[in-house]
Amino acid sequence: AAAEPPLRWEPRCRQQLRHLQDGAGIAARLPPRLEGRWVSTGCEVRPGPEFLTRSYLFYANRLFKAYQFYYWDPSCRDPSYSLVIKGKLRLRQASWITRGATEADYHLHKVGIVFHSQKAMQEVASWINQTSGEGCSGFLPPGRTWAPGALYELLSAKTERDCTAALGFAMHELSLVRVERHYQPLLQPQQSGSQLVEELYLGDIHTEWVERLHYRPTGYQQPMQSAVHHVHPCPACGIIYRADEHHPPILPARAQLPMQLSGSWVSTHCEVRPAVLFLTRYFIFHGNNHTWEGFYYHYSDPLCKQPTFTIYASGHYTQGIPSSKVRGGTELAFKVTQARVTPMDQVTVMMLNSSEPGSCGLTSSWSAGVEQDITPTNGCLALGIKLPHTEYELFKTEQDTRAQSLLYIGERPTDGSSPDSPDKRPTSYQAPLVQCAGASEEFSNYVSLKYLGEKDASGNEALKPLPVAFLLFIALLFLRWD
């Protein structure tokens, strides 16, 4: 178990980080059970940006039927078109790249599209006519008028026709699968006990449009939830569950929240990034002087129980302006001026001690659990940290159904680079952080989260983490389809 964080932390922040370090009560079966329907719990944002909701049904005979509903707006209230996708999925072995995931093969039988306006029909038809081969050039003749409810075939395995590429469509998300189960306390004061929540994590979508057609996922998208066992309340779940390609879900209107960054924010889950990084995040924003502090706790396992290294970073940020590209988002620039690193296992210690002299702290001086300032060496080459540097970010805040404030920070580039120029600014978001302290409760003094090594029943250290550098190297080899 993790050591008790210092008492000067705001109690809710400390409690949430302890909860995540203790595994958050999560169980994950290998291989997972997929049978049943899984739905989005709200409007999702994909790189581009694309706004969508999803409803996937998996049958016991390995067949599946998936709906993807696309929208013009970030509230998922103005439908553009719907896809209905049919195929077969075969679960394979546990992934040796992304721990905790199962690899799968899928085969598409049919993909159909239903347009929800003349505008959508003309736009998609022009994409297909411009970018597709001979077999798709006449997909929709110019001037064809929109017919409500008409289903047009984009892909057919029988006729070997495939006109999906123009939409940036691929189902490679099905090649990486994880199902998590945990129990949610009942909300009503008069009720005791808890209810089961099941979440389906599918492979991530590449942040570069041109790469998504052949990218092999190593991270996850925001999870879908079981239509039967989902978080309550979930106003969107029932609406999406009842929808089909002819009746796309129209989600309830939500008030736009002003960007209020001040305070402390913490991860809600153990997060997985492409290139096989597991981490939790904790941020403190000081609105009075526009400075920030961030704690990145890295682990070698999908439950965030086996720490590898911790990064503390700080700097300042600009006043936000509304994003012209991603409606509902706010554009900011973050300057990172200082950083400190604490290696938490011997593998990371060895890697840092063997790094090039002068490239990461004091040469050959690293030891487990001891923090070192990497600002004098302008960062740490071995961990890909450059100082000082500026990141061009996308933020948004929302309230969940329990009236908790959520902070969404831009998705990191899939290739592992930094959004260090305006043209690399994200167009989609990472998993949300939850506010655990308001502006008046924030702490400016730096605190370090200590860990104790995990032991198994015999007293030996449990499950040695794989070398970080080795994991990154292997992951980069597999970023493309063979």
Side-chain angles (χ1 to χ4, degrees):
E4 187 68 34
L7 288 173
R8 63 180 178 271
W9 280 31
E10 204 283 331
R12 280 187 299 155
C13 303
R14 186 172 73 245
Q15 183 183 0
Q16 174 65 2
L17 283 164
R18 281 292 311 273
H19 175 61
L20 293 176
Q21 289 172 342
D22 291 341
I26 288 169
R29 281 183 48 161
L30 284 174
R33 289 194 61 171
L34 293 183
E35 288 84 6
R37 187 175 291 281
W38 304 83
V39 294
S40 303
T41 56
C43 196
E44 300 178 348
V45 185
R46 283 186 174 180
E50 288 181 330
F51 308 110
L52 78 158
T53 57
R54 296 177 291 158
S55 175
Y56 292 4
L57 177 61
F58 296 95
Y59 300 95
N61 62 359
R62 297 180 181 170
L63 294 175
F64 68 86
K65 182 179 183 180
Y67 293 119
Q68 292 182 354
F69 307 103
Y70 290 83
Y71 302 81
W72 299 107
D73 68 303
S75 302
C76 290
R77 292 181 53 77
D78 185 9
S80 168
Y81 62 87
S82 299
L83 299 181
V84 55
I85 304 140
K86 296 180 180 179
K88 193 164 193 173
L89 182 75
R90 182 173 68 91
L91 296 177
R92 293 169 55 211
Q93 73 278 357
S95 171
W96 63 282
I97 302 173
T98 306
R99 290 180 67 184
T102 297
E103 293 183 358
D105 290 328
Y106 72 92
H107 180 67
L108 297 182
H109 298 157
K110 280 186 177 183
V111 178
I113 187 169
V114 173
F115 302 105
H116 302 304
S117 67
Q118 181 73 28
K119 178 187 170 188
M121 185 180 195
Q122 288 173 339
E123 190 166 282
V124 172
S126 69
W127 294 342
I128 293 173
N129 290 338
Q130 285 169 23
T131 58
S132 301
E134 281 184 27
C136 301
S137 56
F139 172 71
L140 282 176
R144 170 75 68 89
T145 54
W146 170 56
L151 179 72
Y152 301 93
E153 192 174 79
L154 283 172
L155 178 148
S156 168
K158 276 187 179 175
T159 62
E160 297 185 349
R161 186 190 202 205
D162 184 358
C163 305
T164 60
L167 279 73
F169 169 84
M171 287 299 283
H172 301 334
E173 62 193 90
L174 294 177
S175 63
L176 198 69
V177 182
R178 177 176 169 86
V179 172
E180 290 187 355
R181 296 160 59 100
H182 67 272
Y183 286 87
Q184 175 197 24
L186 295 170
L187 272 179
Q188 290 77 5
Q190 69 273 20
Q191 292 181 305
S192 60
S194 55
Q195 62 191 23
L196 176 64
V197 174
E198 289 187 302
E199 296 187 304
L200 171 62
Y201 288 82
L202 296 176
D204 62 306
I205 308 298
H206 202 288
T207 51
E208 290 291 328
W209 181 274
V210 293
E211 297 290 334
R212 61 160 69 177
L213 294 183
H214 49 255
Y215 167 65
R216 182 170 186 159
T218 55
Y220 304 117
Q221 297 174 67
Q222 278 288 92
M224 304 168 78
Q225 292 188 3
S226 163
V228 179
H229 304 295
H230 60 78
V231 165
H232 289 276
C234 179
C237 293
I239 297 170
I240 298 169
Y241 174 79
R242 291 187 291 272
D244 61 32
E245 67 268 38
H246 303 296
H247 308 93
I250 311 294
L251 299 194
R254 298 180 67 172
Q256 279 277 298
L257 291 181
M259 177 59 65
Q260 297 283 1
L261 267 188
S262 292
S264 301
W265 307 79
V266 67
S267 294
T268 60
H269 282 83
C270 179
E271 299 170 17
V272 184
R273 294 255 180 93
V276 207
L277 293 174
F278 304 101
L279 76 159
T280 58
R281 297 173 291 152
Y282 173 57
F283 287 103
I284 305 165
F285 297 98
H286 308 283
N288 55 345
N289 59 4
H290 277 225
T291 59
W292 68 279
E293 301 171 78
F295 303 79
Y296 304 81
Y297 304 105
H298 290 80
Y299 304 82
S300 63
D301 69 298
L303 289 180
C304 287
K305 285 187 167 187
Q306 298 160 19
T308 52
F309 62 95
T310 296
I311 299 171
Y312 165 78
S314 63
H316 52 269
Y317 61 95
T318 62
Q319 186 77 37
I321 60 167
S323 171
S324 57
K325 201 167 186 181
V326 187
R327 273 195 290 158
T330 299
E331 295 182 352
L332 302 101
F334 274 76
K335 183 99 173 191
V336 188
T337 53
Q338 289 184 303
R340 305 200 270 265
V341 171
T342 310
M344 302 304 299
D345 68 342
Q346 287 304 320
V347 172
T348 308
V349 169
M350 286 169 58
M351 183 184 74
L352 294 177
N353 278 333
S354 61
S355 60
E356 193 178 322
S359 69
C360 186
L362 294 171
T363 306
S364 302
S365 63
W366 294 94
S367 56
V370 179
E371 179 187 81
Q372 197 176 138
D373 191 353
I374 57 169
T375 311
T377 53
N378 298 321
C380 179
L381 198 60
L383 295 175
I385 303 169
K386 292 179 184 174
L387 293 174
H389 80 276
T390 301
E391 298 198 339
Y392 294 85
E393 268 297 357
L394 179 73
F395 277 46
K396 75 169 174 178
T397 50
E398 282 184 356
Q399 270 198 337
D400 67 10
T401 51
R402 295 179 159 204
Q404 297 181 114
S405 294
L406 301 178
L407 173 64
Y408 291 81
I409 299 178
E411 192 171 352
R412 310 300 295 175
T414 307
D415 63 8
S417 64
S418 168
D420 53 9
S421 61
D423 62 303
K424 292 183 74 174
R425 191 187 299 275
T427 55
S428 56
Y429 302 98
Q430 299 174 54
L433 305 170
V434 64
Q435 189 165 37
C436 56
S440 61
E441 305 161 282
E442 48 180 76
F443 298 99
S444 58
N445 48 341
Y446 169 57
V447 288
S448 175
L449 191 58
K450 300 274 190 282
Y451 305 87
L452 296 176
E454 295 282 321
K455 305 271 187 189
D456 62 20
S458 62
N460 299 318
E461 280 194 29
L463 207 63
K464 292 274 193 289
L466 290 167
V468 175
F470 175 74
L471 281 171
L472 289 172
F473 172 70
I474 292 297
L476 289 170
L477 289 179
F478 285 86
L479 284 178
R480 291 175 171 269
W481 288 103
D482 295 336

